[in-house]
Amino acid sequence: MRDSDTGAMGRSQGDTAGLSAIRLSVNGQVRQLEVDPRTSLLDALREHLRLSGTKKGCDHGQCGACTVLINGWRVNSCLTLAVMHEDDQIVTIEGLGDLHALHPMQRAFVESDGFQCGYCTPGQICSAVGMLSEVEAGFPSHATADVTTPHVALTDEEIRERMSGNICRCAAYPNIVAAIRGTAEGGPE
């Protein structure tokens, strides 16, 4: 059998044995897929749905480049299986905004120059949006000075701690913090 006759997992193209039929709600649109049950959500988004904004960095949950929002919570999509998310609302960077109507966090990253090469930026933005929801809900972090208060003070230290799962190899961290702070403070609309 030639390489062109086999799928990524070594099965013939006509063989669908062992595949799982799933329906994912991604960026407000229900999509039907047939995937190997071991397919990560990251691979389902990138390889099956062709949503290339979510990046594959380390593929081990250590860099945050693959961060998406699932039911409003930030998740490393490389560490979760696509079949686990049939009833969930998944939002990728493509679903936050578009060229004509940027999400406030996307706009803040542009205005604060919160990126350099841009590879980590989609994960940084999705993580920042999820992080602000956590702060709004009153969830403390390791850096929270008073965990008994319902209002978390969003200091630079607090932002850095909450974003520590997202690595920027270009070291645009000061501008990322500025973008998040600007959005949290109701930056330009």
Side-chain angles (χ1 to χ4, degrees):
M1 191 176 281
R2 297 185 325 265
D3 285 348
S4 62
D5 294 335
T6 60
M9 299 302 291
R11 291 183 300 272
S12 68
Q13 290 178 348
D15 181 14
T16 59
L19 295 182
S20 295
I22 61 172
R23 293 168 46 105
L24 296 178
S25 176
V26 181
N27 301 328
Q29 184 179 8
V30 175
R31 307 287 297 271
Q32 295 185 6
L33 302 170
E34 284 192 0
V35 297
D36 183 297
R38 300 167 291 184
T39 301
S40 70
L41 179 58
L42 172 61
D43 287 339
L45 294 170
R46 288 186 59 80
E47 306 303 326
H48 295 273
L49 297 178
R50 301 291 185 217
L51 294 170
S52 59
T54 306
K55 303 299 186 217
K56 184 178 279 197
C58 66
D59 212 18
H60 294 288
Q62 297 175 350
C63 72
C66 68
T67 305
V68 297
L69 299 171
I70 300 178
N71 299 326
W73 301 103
R74 54 189 172 156
V75 173
N76 288 342
S77 62
C78 72
L79 295 180
T80 188
L81 300 174
V83 297
M84 297 169 58
H85 298 287
E86 280 202 276
D87 296 323
D88 295 331
Q89 298 298 313
I90 301 163
V91 177
T92 67
I93 192 69
E94 293 93 345
L96 282 179
D98 61 40
L99 288 174
H100 306 292
L102 292 176
H103 183 279
M105 188 65 73
Q106 291 172 313
R107 190 170 42 254
F109 265 68
V110 171
E111 292 170 357
S112 297
D113 197 23
F115 53 89
Q116 287 184 24
C117 80
Y119 194 83
C120 72
T121 305
Q124 295 275 0
I125 291 172
C126 285
S127 187
V129 169
M131 182 268 292
L132 289 181
S133 295
E134 293 167 11
V135 169
E136 188 175 311
F139 295 164
S141 78
H142 178 70
T144 304
D146 181 2
V147 297
T148 63
T149 183
H151 176 71
V152 176
L154 200 56
T155 64
D156 286 356
E157 181 183 8
E158 187 76 36
I159 293 170
R160 285 192 299 270
E161 170 63 26
R162 290 175 181 269
M163 293 296 293
S164 64
N166 291 81
I167 296 172
C168 174
R169 292 188 176 112
C170 300
Y173 296 117
N175 297 348
I176 291 169
V177 170
I180 294 168
R181 175 172 298 295
T183 302
E185 294 172 352
E189 292 297 322

